[in-house]
Structure formats: C-alpha cells, structure tokens
Amino acid sequence: MALNVKRPNGTQDVVPNEAYKWHTVESVVRDSAAQFGFKEIRIPTFEETGLFVRSVGDTTDVVQKEMYTVSSSGDKTYTLRPEGTAGTIRAVIENGILNEGLPQKVFYLLSCFRHEKAQKGRLREFHQFGCEMLGSASPAADAEMIALVHIIMQRLGLRNIELNLNSIGCPECRAKYREALKAYFEPHRAELCPTCQERLEKNPLRLLDCKSAEDQAIAKDAPLITDYLCEECSAHFEGLKKNLAIMGIEYTVNPRIVRGLDYYTRTVFEFISSDIGSQGTVCGGGRYDGLIETLGGKPTPALGFAMGLERILLTLESQGCEFIEEKTCDLYLASMGDKAAEKAVEIASRMREEGFFVEYDLVGRGLKAQMKYADKIKAKYVVVIGDSELESGTAKLKNMASGEQTDISLGDGLLDDFGAQYYEMMLSTDEEFRSFVESFGDGQGE
Ligand code: ATP
Ligand code: MG
C-alpha cells in the first residue's frame, strides 16, 4: 500500500519503540536542571515576528533565511519559534517574574522551527532543552550554566565532547572590534557572498559565523575579539575560567566562536561532539546582558544555553550509550472462552488499581497467539485462565524468564500470591530494587 502523504522534509517521527531514548534524555535534563534550581517554563509555539527580529537580530541567518512566518488578518505576522530564549524572556517580562527575587532560573523543553537545508543533525523541526538564568552578572553564574551542561553530558554517558569558550565582550569593546573587522574585510569585499557584503556594513561580527567555505577562508586571519576586550570584560572572562578550574571542568578557549544569534555579550560557549560529523555542536549558549532591556524589561543581566536533543541522541547512539529501558508488562492474562475473558478483565482492573502493568487479549486471539503476543511485549508473567481454572479458582503463574510455574489464586488471594512472586523475582533480577530494599534492611530494630 503506497502512502500518498509523506512527512515534511526535515522533520522526524519518533516511533513508539524509540521513545524510550527521548525519555532517557528528558529525564536526565529535567532532574539535573531541578538540582540546580531551575523550574520549567512553557511558552507558545509561535510569537509575533518582531520578537525574533529584535532579539535574534535581523542580520543573522535565522532571521534572514530560516524563519517560518505567516501573516494573519490585519498587518501582524507570526513566526514559529526558531529558538527558545526570545519567547522565554518575553514570557518572563510579561508575567512579572523578574519581580519575584533574583536570580530567576527557568528551563524549557520545546520544538524549534528553522527553514534550513535538511541533513544529518540539521532539521527543520528540532527539539531543544534550554536553561535561562536572569539577574546575575557574576562569572560564577556563567560557570554554573556550563557546570549544568557538563553534568548532563556526564550522566548521559557522553564521551568526546569538547567545551569551547570565548568572550565576545560588551558593546564598548565590541565597537572597537567591529572597526578592526571592517578594516580587515574591506579589501575582500568583492570576494564575499552577497549576504556578507551587506553584513560588512550592518554587523561585521556576523562575517565570522558565515557558513560559506570561501568566506570562512577569508575570515581565517581576521583579528581576534580576545585582543579587544575591555578591562571589565577580561576580568569577567578570567573569573569564569577560575570557577571552571575550581569545578575541574576542562575547556578550550576558541576566540573564533561568535554564535549565530545577535543577543550575546561576553561569554559564549559551545559543546562540540567529534562523533557525529560536521553538525557537531550539541549545545550552545552564553550571556545576553542587553536582551531583557531590548525587549522592554528593566535592565537585567542574563544568560542561557540550548541543547539540540536530536544531536545529543545521535551522539548517544553513535557511542553505543545505554538508555533507560521502558517498563514492560508485569502480567499478561491469557484466556480461553468468554467467561475466562471476563475474569481477565476483572483481574486486570484489580491489579492495575494496585499499580501493576497488566494486559489481556483485546483482539480475540487463540491461546497460542496470545502466548506469542505476551512474549513479544516481553511480559514478565503470564497466567492462563480456562474453564478448569475458573472452576478451581486457582491458575498457574508462569515466570516468562525462568519458565518456572507457581499456583496463584484467582480470588481474594490473587494480589498476595502475585505480590510474593513479583517481590522475589525483582529481588533476584533487579539490582536497583535489591539495593533499595537492602537500604531498609538493617538497623530497623526487628
Ligand atoms: P549551527 O551552527 O549548527 O547552525 P546554531 O548556532 O544555529 O547551530 P543555536 O541557535 O545556538 O544553534 O541552537 C542551539 C542548539 O540547537 C545547537 O547547538 C544545536 O545543537 C541545535 N540546533 C540548531 N539548529 C538545529 C537544526 N536545524 N537541527 C537540529 N538541531 C539544531
Ligand atoms: Mg544555525
């Protein structure tokens, strides 16, 4: 059968058998963010276009080429969020969150939309986990954000990830650097791509972020921002490095990182994986001290990062990392005949109330096919209910891993019988469960 509608280019389906990989990453990032005091924020999928133009910047690739924008009635246009920071800051200001005590720390898990050339690690709809901290100018805050990413990478078991660090200064040092860049690129003007020719006037820093190979070759010997930092920005950068040293986090200073979004000031950083090819930046972030004021809030220093979850998953898969396995069915109730099927419904509902994961036949299969299905869904136990089991009120409980069979009551004793078997099985097969139980074992006084 040929499907006549296909998934849009640059999008992905997460099929049910793959979802556990996402759940692994999501639970690690959520738990880690919570440990650092970040709370979740949820924002709309689309915003007024002007929000992104003003924050991400009208000379960036994102705004110039990649936004999905629709016009609605009237003269307003709306854009599917290409990133999470702008909407988050808009929401923080609009909801008065900056009045609730600083620093405020928020995180998000959301989809982003960019009209890019789709390829491995570069999608048109992708997902980000991001954190934003508002209200601290201290380099300790920059180090804290990096430490959070670092611990997430560690918990996921990722290897070969390098942290690249830079400072792109404040508007004052940037003004001098801008002139130096202009003077450097001016003689090459004619060789630059048309977009960069325009950027040379409006925002020469952006020339360093151009993806064209010719432009990158020209930019190779461009002046370095680190030679133009003012005293305060240098001290801030040194403060960050000192904090990273205290935490034992390794980094490489890379004076060529500018990041693709205009709102950054001072610290910028990238975590780069060497195992997934050219789209290796798995996380990018930095400080954006001017953004809140630009969007109409009171001047507040702030910073954040965003992690590309598809790229994290690609790296995890390429390195053969372990994922948290999805729960499987505790008990499958196989039945023969209408009465037995009714009993299965009754037992399933009792056991689910107790928190067990229980399934039974819903398609009218024969016993053999039911057993095959139980095997396929990796059920831990199976009970077969037929006429004689209904009559005697007991049945055989089969442990699918060991093949061992025990008697189990189908009446009042059901939960006790099943519970006892289940407990023993978990003790002998689940290390985490065993150590959990043992932690209560000694010193309880009995
Ligand atoms: P790149 O240089 O790869 O285009 P970027 O500078 O545009 O990245 P950011 O806007 O900082 O990226 O987004 C943060 C993270 O989101 C990136 O480090 C990356 O992991 C992920 N990301 C960005 N664009 C895409 C995309 N089109 N598809 C998948 N992931 C992406
Ligand atoms: Mg990009």
Side-chain angles (χ1 to χ4, degrees):
M1 199 174 65
L3 182 65
N4 53 20
V5 184
K6 292 260 168 69
R7 194 173 62 221
N9 190 16
T11 62
Q12 277 184 346
D13 300 312
V14 178
V15 295
N17 281 338
E18 294 284 316
Y20 71 99
K21 296 181 180 176
W22 283 83
H23 298 159
T24 302
V25 175
E26 286 161 8
S27 76
V28 169
V29 300
R30 278 180 184 282
D31 293 351
S32 305
Q35 251 194 321
F36 279 66
F38 287 79
K39 288 191 183 161
E40 184 172 4
I41 186 163
R42 298 192 186 194
I43 55 170
T45 308
F46 61 95
E47 299 273 356
E48 284 186 23
T49 303
L51 174 69
F52 301 115
V53 176
R54 272 191 288 158
S55 53
V56 174
D58 58 0
T59 54
T60 58
D61 274 352
V62 170
V63 168
Q64 285 186 329
K65 310 178 193 166
E66 299 170 1
M67 296 205 301
Y68 284 96
T69 297
V70 291
S71 47
S72 61
S73 56
D75 48 12
K76 275 215 170 106
T77 69
Y78 293 95
T79 295
L80 294 179
R81 59 184 173 220
E83 53 93 66
T85 303
T88 298
I89 298 304
R90 195 262 319 130
V92 161
I93 299 171
E94 199 165 336
N95 291 284
I97 294 169
L98 292 174
N99 306 324
E100 293 170 16
L102 300 178
Q104 282 292 321
K105 300 182 226 172
V106 297
F107 78 85
Y108 53 77
L109 272 158
L110 45 72
S111 50
C112 301
F113 307 86
R114 297 186 191 178
H115 191 265
E116 304 206 62
K117 192 164 158 255
Q119 53 197 290
K120 185 183 171 195
R122 192 172 290 288
L123 296 155
R124 291 181 172 175
E125 179 181 12
F126 61 98
H127 295 79
Q128 287 188 340
F129 160 72
C131 287
E132 317 289 352
M133 192 195 292
L134 322 154
S136 172
S138 163
D142 304 55
E144 180 92 338
M145 299 305 263
I146 290 173
L148 174 52
V149 181
H150 186 258
I151 205 164
I152 289 171
M153 304 285 171
Q154 240 175 15
R155 287 183 178 157
L156 288 170
L158 287 168
R159 302 179 302 276
N160 309 331
I161 307 269
E162 192 178 290
L163 165 60
N164 277 262
L165 202 59
N166 192 21
S167 172
I168 56 170
C170 61
E172 277 92 82
C173 25
R174 199 93 62 82
K176 277 186 243 143
Y177 182 53
R178 207 185 134 100
E179 291 316 308
L181 281 179
K182 258 188 155 163
Y184 173 83
F185 281 107
E186 195 54 60
H188 300 284
R189 176 184 283 271
E191 304 152 55
L192 295 170
C193 76
T195 323
C196 280
Q197 293 191 6
E198 198 185 311
R199 287 170 172 162
L200 188 52
E201 300 305 325
K202 287 195 189 159
N203 189 357
L205 205 70
R206 287 264 70 83
L207 289 161
L208 301 175
D209 199 42
C210 182
K211 300 282 191 289
S212 125
E214 291 82 20
D215 290 16
Q216 279 181 7
I218 298 168
K220 200 164 59 65
D221 296 318
L224 300 176
I225 179 73
T226 29
D227 294 328
Y228 291 81
L229 293 182
C230 69
E231 222 167 282
E232 281 108 52
C233 286
S234 288
H236 193 273
F237 197 29
E238 290 311 311
L240 165 59
K241 291 186 213 165
K242 195 171 107 196
N243 271 284
L244 291 177
I246 294 171
M247 297 191 279
I249 296 174
E250 288 178 16
Y251 59 86
T252 306
V253 173
N254 179 352
R256 301 198 168 277
I257 303 180
V258 294
R259 308 284 315 122
L261 314 170
D262 268 353
Y263 47 63
Y264 288 116
T265 50
R266 292 191 166 168
T267 312
V268 287
F269 60 86
E270 291 185 343
F271 283 79
I272 300 167
S273 162
S274 52
D275 287 348
I276 54 168
S278 50
Q279 321 303 329
T281 308
V282 290
C283 178
R287 186 168 270 288
Y288 48 85
D289 289 342
L291 181 60
I292 295 178
E293 191 179 5
T294 305
L295 295 180
K298 55 178 181 240
T300 311
L303 69 166
F305 66 78
M307 206 177 264
L309 298 185
E310 282 83 359
R311 290 188 194 174
I312 293 279
L313 282 159
L314 278 175
T315 314
L316 284 165
E317 284 170 346
S318 80
Q319 297 182 350
C321 293
E322 281 180 28
F323 294 95
I324 301 166
E325 291 291 329
E326 214 79 288
K327 274 193 179 149
T328 55
C329 179
D330 292 322
L331 177 63
Y332 183 83
L333 298 153
S335 61
M336 288 177 293
D338 292 347
K339 280 267 169 295
E342 282 170 20
K343 188 75 184 167
V345 175
E346 178 223 306
I347 292 178
S349 83
R350 274 165 63 197
M351 297 211 39
R352 285 172 179 160
E353 272 174 31
E354 293 302 312
F356 289 109
F357 176 170
V358 184
E359 291 193 53
Y360 53 86
D361 179 52
L362 289 170
V363 290
R365 286 190 175 109
L367 183 62
K368 216 168 140 189
Q370 289 183 51
M371 294 305 283
K372 222 166 141 181
Y373 181 78
D375 213 36
K376 203 167 178 174
I377 63 169
K378 301 195 179 81
K380 299 186 188 82
Y381 287 96
V382 173
V383 163
V384 179
I385 310 168
D387 288 342
S388 63
E389 284 80 9
L390 286 176
E391 207 169 298
S392 67
T394 58
K396 291 274 181 242
L397 177 72
K398 182 175 177 186
N399 178 325
M400 296 295 274
S402 67
E404 210 179 307
Q405 302 211 31
T406 43
D407 286 334
I408 181 172
S409 160
L410 297 181
D412 291 344
L414 173 87
L415 276 162
D416 284 347
D417 288 355
F418 184 74
Q421 290 298 321
Y422 191 81
Y423 182 81
E424 284 306 317
M425 181 272 294
M426 289 292 282
L427 262 191
S428 63
T429 58
D430 191 311
E431 192 133 347
E432 215 173 295
F433 183 76
R434 186 168 52 237
S435 52
F436 177 71
V437 171
E438 278 168 3
S439 71
F440 292 98
D442 297 324
Q444 294 286 304
E446 282 198 344

